[in-house]
Amino acid sequence: MKSNISLVGMPSSGKTTLGKVVADFTGKTFIDTDAKIVEKIKMSIRDYFAIYGEQKFREVEYNVVEEVSRMENCLISTGGGVILNPKNMENLRSNGCVIFIDRPVKDLLATSDRPLSDTEEKIVKLYNQRIELYRSADATIVNACCSVMDAAQNIIQTAQRLGVKV
């Protein structure tokens, strides 16, 4: 039986916040792929992007996703760009379900630690570039336009319906 729940979605859609809550409820180990990447590269993602560029970052991201996908009984919160590589999605699906945290662009916040979405304009542009990728991916959509607790319950119920042990 598949045991992981992986969350995908736009930057600031709530993947990390919801992931921690769901992990607490289900007893799953919480893993944030961006935090794992920072551990590996020994610098901020923003600095890594500035020095090495997006392509090198995506290679590191792929390796981290491949590694954590093999783990058992985890709640995996991914970076917003994980959807760009179909192999990432295959890896995440290999041992669990993938849930797209859908939040309207007006509710996404720009933050300085995200080099591709550090301004409102960049978030809107990124949303327009990626939203169809998220919606057409083999991921189950959970609407996150509700309280954190309601969204967490929706994630848990969705994972159970998809056959993931929770």
PDB file of all heavy atoms in Angstrom, residues 52-88:
ATOM      1  N   TYR A  52      24.041  29.887  -9.616  1.00  0.00           N
ATOM      2  CA  TYR A  52      24.053  28.738 -10.534  1.00  0.00           C
ATOM      3  C   TYR A  52      22.904  28.706 -11.538  1.00  0.00           C
ATOM      4  O   TYR A  52      22.956  27.949 -12.505  1.00  0.00           O
ATOM      5  CB  TYR A  52      24.050  27.432  -9.727  1.00  0.00           C
ATOM      6  CG  TYR A  52      25.237  27.312  -8.815  1.00  0.00           C
ATOM      7  CD1 TYR A  52      25.096  27.512  -7.451  1.00  0.00           C
ATOM      8  CD2 TYR A  52      26.503  27.018  -9.307  1.00  0.00           C
ATOM      9  CE1 TYR A  52      26.183  27.413  -6.592  1.00  0.00           C
ATOM     10  CE2 TYR A  52      27.596  26.919  -8.458  1.00  0.00           C
ATOM     11  CZ  TYR A  52      27.427  27.122  -7.108  1.00  0.00           C
ATOM     12  OH  TYR A  52      28.509  27.027  -6.265  1.00  0.00           O
ATOM     13  N   GLY A  53      21.850  29.463 -11.290  1.00  0.00           N
ATOM     14  CA  GLY A  53      20.727  29.506 -12.223  1.00  0.00           C
ATOM     15  C   GLY A  53      19.665  28.458 -11.935  1.00  0.00           C
ATOM     16  O   GLY A  53      19.858  27.533 -11.141  1.00  0.00           O
ATOM     17  N   GLU A  54      18.544  28.638 -12.606  1.00  0.00           N
ATOM     18  CA  GLU A  54      17.390  27.760 -12.361  1.00  0.00           C
ATOM     19  C   GLU A  54      17.645  26.315 -12.794  1.00  0.00           C
ATOM     20  O   GLU A  54      17.228  25.384 -12.111  1.00  0.00           O
ATOM     21  CB  GLU A  54      16.146  28.303 -13.066  1.00  0.00           C
ATOM     22  CG  GLU A  54      14.907  27.484 -12.760  1.00  0.00           C
ATOM     23  CD  GLU A  54      13.630  28.049 -13.336  1.00  0.00           C
ATOM     24  OE1 GLU A  54      13.659  29.106 -14.001  1.00  0.00           O
ATOM     25  OE2 GLU A  54      12.577  27.407 -13.120  1.00  0.00           O
ATOM     26  N   GLN A  55      18.313  26.107 -13.904  1.00  0.00           N
ATOM     27  CA  GLN A  55      18.518  24.739 -14.396  1.00  0.00           C
ATOM     28  C   GLN A  55      19.280  23.889 -13.376  1.00  0.00           C
ATOM     29  O   GLN A  55      18.895  22.749 -13.097  1.00  0.00           O
ATOM     30  CB  GLN A  55      19.251  24.732 -15.736  1.00  0.00           C
ATOM     31  CG  GLN A  55      19.416  23.313 -16.273  1.00  0.00           C
ATOM     32  CD  GLN A  55      20.068  23.285 -17.639  1.00  0.00           C
ATOM     33  OE1 GLN A  55      20.150  24.297 -18.331  1.00  0.00           O
ATOM     34  NE2 GLN A  55      20.541  22.111 -18.020  1.00  0.00           N
ATOM     35  N   LYS A  56      20.344  24.421 -12.800  1.00  0.00           N
ATOM     36  CA  LYS A  56      21.103  23.677 -11.780  1.00  0.00           C
ATOM     37  C   LYS A  56      20.244  23.428 -10.543  1.00  0.00           C
ATOM     38  O   LYS A  56      20.297  22.360  -9.935  1.00  0.00           O
ATOM     39  CB  LYS A  56      22.385  24.423 -11.396  1.00  0.00           C
ATOM     40  CG  LYS A  56      23.446  24.374 -12.460  1.00  0.00           C
ATOM     41  CD  LYS A  56      24.036  23.001 -12.537  1.00  0.00           C
ATOM     42  CE  LYS A  56      25.195  22.962 -13.500  1.00  0.00           C
ATOM     43  NZ  LYS A  56      25.522  21.597 -13.915  1.00  0.00           N
ATOM     44  N   PHE A  57      19.440  24.422 -10.170  1.00  0.00           N
ATOM     45  CA  PHE A  57      18.539  24.241  -9.035  1.00  0.00           C
ATOM     46  C   PHE A  57      17.565  23.101  -9.302  1.00  0.00           C
ATOM     47  O   PHE A  57      17.337  22.256  -8.434  1.00  0.00           O
ATOM     48  CB  PHE A  57      17.764  25.532  -8.735  1.00  0.00           C
ATOM     49  CG  PHE A  57      16.696  25.317  -7.700  1.00  0.00           C
ATOM     50  CD1 PHE A  57      17.018  25.280  -6.353  1.00  0.00           C
ATOM     51  CD2 PHE A  57      15.379  25.112  -8.071  1.00  0.00           C
ATOM     52  CE1 PHE A  57      16.037  25.044  -5.394  1.00  0.00           C
ATOM     53  CE2 PHE A  57      14.391  24.881  -7.128  1.00  0.00           C
ATOM     54  CZ  PHE A  57      14.728  24.847  -5.785  1.00  0.00           C
ATOM     55  N   ARG A  58      17.002  23.050 -10.507  1.00  0.00           N
ATOM     56  CA  ARG A  58      16.027  21.999 -10.846  1.00  0.00           C
ATOM     57  C   ARG A  58      16.676  20.612 -10.802  1.00  0.00           C
ATOM     58  O   ARG A  58      16.015  19.628 -10.479  1.00  0.00           O
ATOM     59  CB  ARG A  58      15.391  22.258 -12.208  1.00  0.00           C
ATOM     60  CG  ARG A  58      14.579  23.531 -12.273  1.00  0.00           C
ATOM     61  CD  ARG A  58      13.338  23.495 -11.426  1.00  0.00           C
ATOM     62  NE  ARG A  58      12.718  24.818 -11.371  1.00  0.00           N
ATOM     63  CZ  ARG A  58      12.015  25.266 -10.370  1.00  0.00           C
ATOM     64  NH1 ARG A  58      11.790  24.513  -9.310  1.00  0.00           N
ATOM     65  NH2 ARG A  58      11.503  26.479 -10.397  1.00  0.00           N
ATOM     66  N   GLU A  59      17.964  20.527 -11.112  1.00  0.00           N
ATOM     67  CA  GLU A  59      18.670  19.242 -11.016  1.00  0.00           C
ATOM     68  C   GLU A  59      18.768  18.795  -9.560  1.00  0.00           C
ATOM     69  O   GLU A  59      18.545  17.630  -9.246  1.00  0.00           O
ATOM     70  CB  GLU A  59      20.061  19.359 -11.639  1.00  0.00           C
ATOM     71  CG  GLU A  59      20.039  19.514 -13.146  1.00  0.00           C
ATOM     72  CD  GLU A  59      21.402  19.864 -13.742  1.00  0.00           C
ATOM     73  OE1 GLU A  59      22.440  19.719 -13.045  1.00  0.00           O
ATOM     74  OE2 GLU A  59      21.423  20.299 -14.915  1.00  0.00           O
ATOM     75  N   VAL A  60      19.097  19.727  -8.677  1.00  0.00           N
ATOM     76  CA  VAL A  60      19.167  19.408  -7.246  1.00  0.00           C
ATOM     77  C   VAL A  60      17.765  19.026  -6.751  1.00  0.00           C
ATOM     78  O   VAL A  60      17.603  18.050  -6.019  1.00  0.00           O
ATOM     79  CB  VAL A  60      19.732  20.597  -6.433  1.00  0.00           C
ATOM     80  CG1 VAL A  60      19.672  20.311  -4.939  1.00  0.00           C
ATOM     81  CG2 VAL A  60      21.155  20.922  -6.868  1.00  0.00           C
ATOM     82  N   GLU A  61      16.780  19.796  -7.172  1.00  0.00           N
ATOM     83  CA  GLU A  61      15.395  19.516  -6.771  1.00  0.00           C
ATOM     84  C   GLU A  61      14.977  18.100  -7.189  1.00  0.00           C
ATOM     85  O   GLU A  61      14.394  17.359  -6.404  1.00  0.00           O
ATOM     86  CB  GLU A  61      14.462  20.553  -7.402  1.00  0.00           C
ATOM     87  CG  GLU A  61      12.995  20.365  -7.053  1.00  0.00           C
ATOM     88  CD  GLU A  61      12.142  21.433  -7.688  1.00  0.00           C
ATOM     89  OE1 GLU A  61      12.167  21.578  -8.945  1.00  0.00           O
ATOM     90  OE2 GLU A  61      11.446  22.138  -6.940  1.00  0.00           O
ATOM     91  N   TYR A  62      15.306  17.728  -8.422  1.00  0.00           N
ATOM     92  CA  TYR A  62      14.980  16.385  -8.915  1.00  0.00           C
ATOM     93  C   TYR A  62      15.615  15.315  -8.022  1.00  0.00           C
ATOM     94  O   TYR A  62      14.953  14.339  -7.633  1.00  0.00           O
ATOM     95  CB  TYR A  62      15.440  16.210 -10.368  1.00  0.00           C
ATOM     96  CG  TYR A  62      15.352  14.773 -10.817  1.00  0.00           C
ATOM     97  CD1 TYR A  62      14.134  14.223 -11.183  1.00  0.00           C
ATOM     98  CD2 TYR A  62      16.479  13.965 -10.831  1.00  0.00           C
ATOM     99  CE1 TYR A  62      14.039  12.883 -11.565  1.00  0.00           C
ATOM    100  CE2 TYR A  62      16.397  12.635 -11.206  1.00  0.00           C
ATOM    101  CZ  TYR A  62      15.174  12.099 -11.571  1.00  0.00           C
ATOM    102  OH  TYR A  62      15.092  10.775 -11.923  1.00  0.00           O
ATOM    103  N   ASN A  63      16.889  15.480  -7.695  1.00  0.00           N
ATOM    104  CA  ASN A  63      17.579  14.493  -6.852  1.00  0.00           C
ATOM    105  C   ASN A  63      16.938  14.376  -5.470  1.00  0.00           C
ATOM    106  O   ASN A  63      16.787  13.273  -4.941  1.00  0.00           O
ATOM    107  CB  ASN A  63      19.063  14.841  -6.723  1.00  0.00           C
ATOM    108  CG  ASN A  63      19.810  14.655  -8.024  1.00  0.00           C
ATOM    109  OD1 ASN A  63      19.458  13.819  -8.848  1.00  0.00           O
ATOM    110  ND2 ASN A  63      20.841  15.454  -8.234  1.00  0.00           N
ATOM    111  N   VAL A  64      16.545  15.508  -4.899  1.00  0.00           N
ATOM    112  CA  VAL A  64      15.900  15.486  -3.584  1.00  0.00           C
ATOM    113  C   VAL A  64      14.534  14.816  -3.676  1.00  0.00           C
ATOM    114  O   VAL A  64      14.190  13.976  -2.840  1.00  0.00           O
ATOM    115  CB  VAL A  64      15.789  16.926  -3.004  1.00  0.00           C
ATOM    116  CG1 VAL A  64      14.839  16.975  -1.815  1.00  0.00           C
ATOM    117  CG2 VAL A  64      17.171  17.425  -2.611  1.00  0.00           C
ATOM    118  N   VAL A  65      13.755  15.149  -4.688  1.00  0.00           N
ATOM    119  CA  VAL A  65      12.430  14.534  -4.849  1.00  0.00           C
ATOM    120  C   VAL A  65      12.563  13.022  -5.049  1.00  0.00           C
ATOM    121  O   VAL A  65      11.809  12.242  -4.455  1.00  0.00           O
ATOM    122  CB  VAL A  65      11.645  15.194  -6.011  1.00  0.00           C
ATOM    123  CG1 VAL A  65      10.407  14.391  -6.372  1.00  0.00           C
ATOM    124  CG2 VAL A  65      11.275  16.625  -5.639  1.00  0.00           C
ATOM    125  N   GLU A  66      13.532  12.625  -5.848  1.00  0.00           N
ATOM    126  CA  GLU A  66      13.755  11.194  -6.072  1.00  0.00           C
ATOM    127  C   GLU A  66      14.073  10.499  -4.742  1.00  0.00           C
ATOM    128  O   GLU A  66      13.543   9.424  -4.444  1.00  0.00           O
ATOM    129  CB  GLU A  66      14.892  11.003  -7.068  1.00  0.00           C
ATOM    130  CG  GLU A  66      15.130   9.557  -7.449  1.00  0.00           C
ATOM    131  CD  GLU A  66      16.234   9.413  -8.474  1.00  0.00           C
ATOM    132  OE1 GLU A  66      17.304  10.051  -8.324  1.00  0.00           O
ATOM    133  OE2 GLU A  66      16.017   8.653  -9.421  1.00  0.00           O
ATOM    134  N   GLU A  67      14.915  11.116  -3.941  1.00  0.00           N
ATOM    135  CA  GLU A  67      15.318  10.544  -2.646  1.00  0.00           C
ATOM    136  C   GLU A  67      14.135  10.437  -1.680  1.00  0.00           C
ATOM    137  O   GLU A  67      13.888   9.387  -1.101  1.00  0.00           O
ATOM    138  CB  GLU A  67      16.416  11.425  -2.041  1.00  0.00           C
ATOM    139  CG  GLU A  67      16.840  11.050  -0.646  1.00  0.00           C
ATOM    140  CD  GLU A  67      17.774  12.095  -0.048  1.00  0.00           C
ATOM    141  OE1 GLU A  67      18.574  12.696  -0.791  1.00  0.00           O
ATOM    142  OE2 GLU A  67      17.688  12.313   1.179  1.00  0.00           O
ATOM    143  N   VAL A  68      13.394  11.524  -1.493  1.00  0.00           N
ATOM    144  CA  VAL A  68      12.308  11.504  -0.506  1.00  0.00           C
ATOM    145  C   VAL A  68      11.122  10.657  -0.970  1.00  0.00           C
ATOM    146  O   VAL A  68      10.377  10.134  -0.138  1.00  0.00           O
ATOM    147  CB  VAL A  68      11.854  12.917  -0.084  1.00  0.00           C
ATOM    148  CG1 VAL A  68      13.017  13.693   0.508  1.00  0.00           C
ATOM    149  CG2 VAL A  68      11.192  13.676  -1.208  1.00  0.00           C
ATOM    150  N   SER A  69      10.975  10.485  -2.261  1.00  0.00           N
ATOM    151  CA  SER A  69       9.869   9.666  -2.778  1.00  0.00           C
ATOM    152  C   SER A  69      10.018   8.196  -2.404  1.00  0.00           C
ATOM    153  O   SER A  69       9.032   7.465  -2.353  1.00  0.00           O
ATOM    154  CB  SER A  69       9.783   9.793  -4.302  1.00  0.00           C
ATOM    155  OG  SER A  69       9.422  11.100  -4.662  1.00  0.00           O
ATOM    156  N   ARG A  70      11.241   7.778  -2.154  1.00  0.00           N
ATOM    157  CA  ARG A  70      11.484   6.382  -1.766  1.00  0.00           C
ATOM    158  C   ARG A  70      11.215   6.136  -0.279  1.00  0.00           C
ATOM    159  O   ARG A  70      11.170   5.001   0.170  1.00  0.00           O
ATOM    160  CB  ARG A  70      12.922   5.991  -2.099  1.00  0.00           C
ATOM    161  CG  ARG A  70      13.167   5.853  -3.593  1.00  0.00           C
ATOM    162  CD  ARG A  70      14.510   5.198  -3.877  1.00  0.00           C
ATOM    163  NE  ARG A  70      15.639   5.979  -3.373  1.00  0.00           N
ATOM    164  CZ  ARG A  70      16.375   6.804  -4.086  1.00  0.00           C
ATOM    165  NH1 ARG A  70      16.112   6.984  -5.358  1.00  0.00           N
ATOM    166  NH2 ARG A  70      17.386   7.461  -3.549  1.00  0.00           N
ATOM    167  N   MET A  71      11.063   7.194   0.477  1.00  0.00           N
ATOM    168  CA  MET A  71      10.815   7.053   1.910  1.00  0.00           C
ATOM    169  C   MET A  71       9.370   6.607   2.142  1.00  0.00           C
ATOM    170  O   MET A  71       8.531   6.705   1.251  1.00  0.00           O
ATOM    171  CB  MET A  71      11.128   8.373   2.616  1.00  0.00           C
ATOM    172  CG  MET A  71      12.586   8.788   2.457  1.00  0.00           C
ATOM    173  SD  MET A  71      12.935  10.452   3.023  1.00  0.00           S
ATOM    174  CE  MET A  71      12.939  10.181   4.780  1.00  0.00           C
ATOM    175  N   GLU A  72       9.091   6.113   3.343  1.00  0.00           N
ATOM    176  CA  GLU A  72       7.761   5.586   3.675  1.00  0.00           C
ATOM    177  C   GLU A  72       7.066   6.468   4.697  1.00  0.00           C
ATOM    178  O   GLU A  72       7.713   7.045   5.574  1.00  0.00           O
ATOM    179  CB  GLU A  72       7.901   4.176   4.275  1.00  0.00           C
ATOM    180  CG  GLU A  72       8.510   3.147   3.349  1.00  0.00           C
ATOM    181  CD  GLU A  72       7.532   2.634   2.316  1.00  0.00           C
ATOM    182  OE1 GLU A  72       6.317   2.646   2.580  1.00  0.00           O
ATOM    183  OE2 GLU A  72       7.988   2.248   1.222  1.00  0.00           O
ATOM    184  N   ASN A  73       5.747   6.527   4.586  1.00  0.00           N
ATOM    185  CA  ASN A  73       4.890   7.181   5.582  1.00  0.00           C
ATOM    186  C   ASN A  73       5.257   8.643   5.803  1.00  0.00           C
ATOM    187  O   ASN A  73       5.387   9.107   6.929  1.00  0.00           O
ATOM    188  CB  ASN A  73       4.913   6.403   6.907  1.00  0.00           C
ATOM    189  CG  ASN A  73       3.696   6.727   7.742  1.00  0.00           C
ATOM    190  OD1 ASN A  73       2.601   6.917   7.225  1.00  0.00           O
ATOM    191  ND2 ASN A  73       3.890   6.791   9.042  1.00  0.00           N
ATOM    192  N   CYS A  74       5.400   9.382   4.695  1.00  0.00           N
ATOM    193  CA  CYS A  74       5.801  10.788   4.767  1.00  0.00           C
ATOM    194  C   CYS A  74       4.726  11.704   4.201  1.00  0.00           C
ATOM    195  O   CYS A  74       3.941  11.313   3.339  1.00  0.00           O
ATOM    196  CB  CYS A  74       7.081  11.011   3.965  1.00  0.00           C
ATOM    197  SG  CYS A  74       8.505  10.131   4.624  1.00  0.00           S
ATOM    198  N   LEU A  75       4.728  12.906   4.712  1.00  0.00           N
ATOM    199  CA  LEU A  75       3.970  13.999   4.119  1.00  0.00           C
ATOM    200  C   LEU A  75       5.031  14.886   3.484  1.00  0.00           C
ATOM    201  O   LEU A  75       5.885  15.445   4.184  1.00  0.00           O
ATOM    202  CB  LEU A  75       3.181  14.757   5.196  1.00  0.00           C
ATOM    203  CG  LEU A  75       2.226  15.836   4.721  1.00  0.00           C
ATOM    204  CD1 LEU A  75       2.844  16.982   4.000  1.00  0.00           C
ATOM    205  CD2 LEU A  75       1.059  15.251   3.959  1.00  0.00           C
ATOM    206  N   ILE A  76       5.020  14.988   2.155  1.00  0.00           N
ATOM    207  CA  ILE A  76       6.054  15.697   1.414  1.00  0.00           C
ATOM    208  C   ILE A  76       5.486  17.003   0.871  1.00  0.00           C
ATOM    209  O   ILE A  76       4.565  16.987   0.055  1.00  0.00           O
ATOM    210  CB  ILE A  76       6.608  14.829   0.266  1.00  0.00           C
ATOM    211  CG1 ILE A  76       7.152  13.504   0.803  1.00  0.00           C
ATOM    212  CG2 ILE A  76       7.671  15.597  -0.529  1.00  0.00           C
ATOM    213  CD1 ILE A  76       7.449  12.468  -0.267  1.00  0.00           C
ATOM    214  N   SER A  77       6.029  18.097   1.338  1.00  0.00           N
ATOM    215  CA  SER A  77       5.676  19.419   0.830  1.00  0.00           C
ATOM    216  C   SER A  77       6.740  19.807  -0.190  1.00  0.00           C
ATOM    217  O   SER A  77       7.916  19.867   0.144  1.00  0.00           O
ATOM    218  CB  SER A  77       5.638  20.419   1.982  1.00  0.00           C
ATOM    219  OG  SER A  77       5.474  21.726   1.487  1.00  0.00           O
ATOM    220  N   THR A  78       6.319  20.047  -1.411  1.00  0.00           N
ATOM    221  CA  THR A  78       7.274  20.313  -2.486  1.00  0.00           C
ATOM    222  C   THR A  78       7.395  21.799  -2.779  1.00  0.00           C
ATOM    223  O   THR A  78       6.540  22.595  -2.401  1.00  0.00           O
ATOM    224  CB  THR A  78       6.842  19.598  -3.786  1.00  0.00           C
ATOM    225  OG1 THR A  78       5.615  20.168  -4.240  1.00  0.00           O
ATOM    226  CG2 THR A  78       6.689  18.112  -3.565  1.00  0.00           C
ATOM    227  N   GLY A  79       8.440  22.155  -3.489  1.00  0.00           N
ATOM    228  CA  GLY A  79       8.592  23.517  -3.975  1.00  0.00           C
ATOM    229  C   GLY A  79       7.622  23.752  -5.125  1.00  0.00           C
ATOM    230  O   GLY A  79       7.178  22.817  -5.797  1.00  0.00           O
ATOM    231  N   GLY A  80       7.295  25.002  -5.361  1.00  0.00           N
ATOM    232  CA  GLY A  80       6.304  25.351  -6.368  1.00  0.00           C
ATOM    233  C   GLY A  80       6.643  24.906  -7.779  1.00  0.00           C
ATOM    234  O   GLY A  80       5.757  24.654  -8.590  1.00  0.00           O
ATOM    235  N   GLY A  81       7.925  24.768  -8.098  1.00  0.00           N
ATOM    236  CA  GLY A  81       8.327  24.400  -9.453  1.00  0.00           C
ATOM    237  C   GLY A  81       8.487  22.918  -9.694  1.00  0.00           C
ATOM    238  O   GLY A  81       8.856  22.497 -10.787  1.00  0.00           O
ATOM    239  N   VAL A  82       8.189  22.084  -8.704  1.00  0.00           N
ATOM    240  CA  VAL A  82       8.359  20.639  -8.858  1.00  0.00           C
ATOM    241  C   VAL A  82       7.542  20.104 -10.036  1.00  0.00           C
ATOM    242  O   VAL A  82       7.920  19.139 -10.685  1.00  0.00           O
ATOM    243  CB  VAL A  82       8.014  19.904  -7.534  1.00  0.00           C
ATOM    244  CG1 VAL A  82       6.524  19.809  -7.317  1.00  0.00           C
ATOM    245  CG2 VAL A  82       8.668  18.548  -7.469  1.00  0.00           C
ATOM    246  N   ILE A  83       6.458  20.766 -10.338  1.00  0.00           N
ATOM    247  CA  ILE A  83       5.556  20.361 -11.422  1.00  0.00           C
ATOM    248  C   ILE A  83       6.219  20.469 -12.798  1.00  0.00           C
ATOM    249  O   ILE A  83       5.783  19.843 -13.756  1.00  0.00           O
ATOM    250  CB  ILE A  83       4.276  21.223 -11.372  1.00  0.00           C
ATOM    251  CG1 ILE A  83       3.176  20.678 -12.274  1.00  0.00           C
ATOM    252  CG2 ILE A  83       4.562  22.664 -11.765  1.00  0.00           C
ATOM    253  CD1 ILE A  83       2.389  19.608 -11.649  1.00  0.00           C
ATOM    254  N   LEU A  84       7.286  21.245 -12.906  1.00  0.00           N
ATOM    255  CA  LEU A  84       7.923  21.485 -14.199  1.00  0.00           C
ATOM    256  C   LEU A  84       8.607  20.249 -14.768  1.00  0.00           C
ATOM    257  O   LEU A  84       8.826  20.166 -15.970  1.00  0.00           O
ATOM    258  CB  LEU A  84       8.932  22.634 -14.084  1.00  0.00           C
ATOM    259  CG  LEU A  84       8.340  23.980 -13.658  1.00  0.00           C
ATOM    260  CD1 LEU A  84       9.454  24.992 -13.394  1.00  0.00           C
ATOM    261  CD2 LEU A  84       7.353  24.489 -14.692  1.00  0.00           C
ATOM    262  N   ASN A  85       8.952  19.291 -13.913  1.00  0.00           N
ATOM    263  CA  ASN A  85       9.624  18.073 -14.368  1.00  0.00           C
ATOM    264  C   ASN A  85       8.683  16.884 -14.185  1.00  0.00           C
ATOM    265  O   ASN A  85       8.409  16.480 -13.059  1.00  0.00           O
ATOM    266  CB  ASN A  85      10.912  17.850 -13.572  1.00  0.00           C
ATOM    267  CG  ASN A  85      11.714  16.677 -14.070  1.00  0.00           C
ATOM    268  OD1 ASN A  85      11.215  15.812 -14.783  1.00  0.00           O
ATOM    269  ND2 ASN A  85      12.970  16.618 -13.666  1.00  0.00           N
ATOM    270  N   PRO A  86       8.189  16.306 -15.282  1.00  0.00           N
ATOM    271  CA  PRO A  86       7.273  15.162 -15.175  1.00  0.00           C
ATOM    272  C   PRO A  86       7.864  13.995 -14.372  1.00  0.00           C
ATOM    273  O   PRO A  86       7.132  13.246 -13.732  1.00  0.00           O
ATOM    274  CB  PRO A  86       7.024  14.745 -16.629  1.00  0.00           C
ATOM    275  CG  PRO A  86       7.381  15.941 -17.442  1.00  0.00           C
ATOM    276  CD  PRO A  86       8.429  16.689 -16.676  1.00  0.00           C
ATOM    277  N   LYS A  87       9.191  13.861 -14.375  1.00  0.00           N
ATOM    278  CA  LYS A  87       9.822  12.784 -13.604  1.00  0.00           C
ATOM    279  C   LYS A  87       9.631  13.008 -12.102  1.00  0.00           C
ATOM    280  O   LYS A  87       9.531  12.052 -11.338  1.00  0.00           O
ATOM    281  CB  LYS A  87      11.303  12.663 -13.954  1.00  0.00           C
ATOM    282  CG  LYS A  87      11.528  12.118 -15.350  1.00  0.00           C
ATOM    283  CD  LYS A  87      12.998  12.019 -15.666  1.00  0.00           C
ATOM    284  CE  LYS A  87      13.171  11.499 -17.083  1.00  0.00           C
ATOM    285  NZ  LYS A  87      14.579  11.447 -17.464  1.00  0.00           N
ATOM    286  N   ASN A  88       9.590  14.274 -11.672  1.00  0.00           N
ATOM    287  CA  ASN A  88       9.297  14.551 -10.265  1.00  0.00           C
ATOM    288  C   ASN A  88       7.918  14.013  -9.906  1.00  0.00           C
ATOM    289  O   ASN A  88       7.735  13.393  -8.852  1.00  0.00           O
ATOM    290  CB  ASN A  88       9.329  16.061  -9.977  1.00  0.00           C
ATOM    291  CG  ASN A  88      10.720  16.626  -9.924  1.00  0.00           C
ATOM    292  OD1 ASN A  88      11.686  15.924  -9.649  1.00  0.00           O
ATOM    293  ND2 ASN A  88      10.828  17.915 -10.197  1.00  0.00           N
TER     294      ASN A  88
END
